[in-house]
Amino acid sequence: MQTVATIEQLRQQISDWRQQGLTIGFVPTMGNLHAGHISLIEEAHKHADKIVASIFVNPMQFGANEDIDSYPRTMDDDKQKLIAANTDILFTPTPEIIYPKGLENQTYVEVPDVSDGYCGESRPGHFRGVSTVVCKLFNIVQPDIACFGLKDYQQVQVIQSMVEDLSMPITIIPVPTMRESSGLAMSSRNNYLTADEKSIATNLSKTLLWLAEEVKSNKNFSALIEQAAAKIDASGMKTDYIHISHARTLNPATAEDKKLVILAAAHCGKARLIDNLQVELDA
Ligand code: PAF
């Protein structure tokens, strides 16, 4: 695996591959890689000849009071995992390379509607930062396909909308969430949890499973959401939000919708965890 930090070096290698008629798959990450990230690389191998991964802790998607300084950085370990997964190039730009004029003067991309609620509401500006950096990375790498984990369900919808709205010739491949045997969705932020908190955190996915069963027979979604939030809080976490939504638009689900997603975020110790579950109702 080659590691490159500059846009010029990366473009040179990608243009050599393009001249050989090879296709490019891309997996953008913020590092601190776990099995969920590696499943994205594995999926990308199924769709493209050469795989580019990036590690960039993107300052634009962190709010003023968020964890950018403490966000876990484990570059040596990450490289070993990417080598083992047969990644061809790792792109590791600095903030100066991605935002040479600074964040204030950077052109940005804002995807309306799907960016607005849920994590968009709890973390103002977060999705502007995500869509801007992913747009830049797409322009730098110019991949044929790019893989994103469904653990960040709203992020996948935001990126899918950006690609459609801006006519980007890139296929977005959503990859199912990897979970611990306890059901806890894998996340770099699980590193903030103590052993006790890790066991408490399993109640997030348990509550989603409970709610997914309930929505099959009960259309009183607001009452169900209240009960689900109470379960999360009673387990020792603090619910940030829990909603039952249309799986693509992310609008609040109606009793007629068949493809739903349950989206949730909760605070557990120092970590803010997110999780979701798609539910398909019988037609
Ligand atoms: O999901 C992430 O790790 C980040 O939001 C992404 C897509 C790499 C953009 O910084």
Side-chain angles (χ1 to χ4, degrees):
M1 182 180 77
Q2 233 181 303
T3 302
V4 301
T6 70
I7 296 175
E8 293 70 27
Q9 278 174 301
L10 184 64
R11 285 210 164 122
Q12 183 55 56
Q13 178 60 77
I14 288 173
S15 120
D16 289 351
W17 286 335
R18 287 279 180 214
Q19 277 168 21
Q20 295 167 45
L22 300 172
T23 55
I24 313 295
F26 180 43
V27 178
T29 81
M30 297 205 301
N32 194 236
L33 305 182
H34 50 68
H37 295 106
I38 300 309
S39 75
L40 303 182
I41 304 275
E42 286 165 358
E43 187 63 32
H45 275 297
K46 296 181 195 160
H47 304 272
D49 300 314
K50 294 287 180 185
I51 308 305
V52 179
S54 63
I55 295 182
F56 178 62
V57 183
N58 173 31
M60 202 193 260
Q61 71 188 74
F62 287 80
N65 303 317
E66 291 185 350
D67 57 346
I68 186 155
D69 293 332
S70 58
Y71 196 84
R73 287 156 171 92
T74 50
M75 187 61 87
D76 290 343
D77 209 41
D78 292 348
K79 280 188 185 169
Q80 293 315 313
K81 291 179 179 160
L82 290 171
I83 290 169
N86 294 321
T87 309
D88 294 283
I89 289 200
L90 170 61
F91 180 47
T92 56
T94 59
E96 292 70 30
I97 285 179
I98 297 294
Y99 302 119
K101 292 188 278 184
L103 290 184
E104 298 304 311
N105 297 313
Q106 172 65 42
T107 301
Y108 59 80
V109 178
E110 200 150 277
V111 179
D113 290 340
V114 282
S115 300
D116 291 345
Y118 317 121
C119 285
E121 196 174 323
S122 305
R123 304 181 66 189
H126 170 66
F127 286 118
R128 172 195 288 189
V130 170
S131 33
T132 300
V133 80
V134 172
C135 179
K136 276 207 79 147
L137 291 167
F138 280 178
N139 284 332
I140 293 167
V141 177
Q142 300 192 1
D144 299 279
I145 65 112
C147 294
F148 290 86
L150 278 168
K151 209 269 291 170
D152 296 294
Y153 191 92
Q154 189 175 7
Q155 170 170 281
V156 175
Q157 305 313 314
V158 168
I159 288 162
Q160 184 63 56
S161 294
M162 174 182 79
V163 163
E164 285 167 21
D165 293 354
L166 300 181
S167 307
M168 295 176 166
I170 302 170
T171 303
I172 302 303
I173 301 180
V175 181
T177 304
M178 294 276 287
R179 295 181 182 278
E180 311 277 355
S181 53
S182 64
L184 178 65
M186 289 189 187
S187 164
S188 302
R189 291 191 166 96
N190 293 350
N191 285 330
Y192 300 146
L193 301 171
T194 62
D196 282 351
E197 288 164 352
K198 231 178 168 184
S199 127
I200 291 171
T202 60
N203 290 293
L204 188 55
S205 60
K206 285 185 186 138
T207 306
L208 293 183
L209 284 168
W210 171 81
L211 193 46
E213 265 318 296
E214 290 295 312
V215 292
K216 291 180 185 161
S217 55
N218 183 348
K219 300 293 167 220
N220 189 346
F221 293 158
S222 49
L224 285 177
I225 286 169
E226 248 178 64
Q227 288 177 55
K231 278 178 186 287
I232 294 170
D233 292 344
S235 75
M237 283 180 280
K238 187 169 176 340
T239 307
D240 177 355
Y241 64 76
I242 179 153
H243 291 286
I244 304 168
S245 309
H246 183 280
R248 176 64 186 101
T249 63
L250 304 190
N251 290 331
T254 67
E256 285 71 45
D257 288 337
K258 299 292 173 218
K259 289 185 183 205
L260 309 180
V261 61
I262 303 167
L263 298 162
H267 295 274
C268 185
K270 284 198 217 106
R272 179 180 173 279
L273 305 174
I274 58 172
D275 201 351
N276 67 82
L277 206 55
Q278 284 173 268
V279 188
E280 195 138 344
L281 301 178
D282 295 335

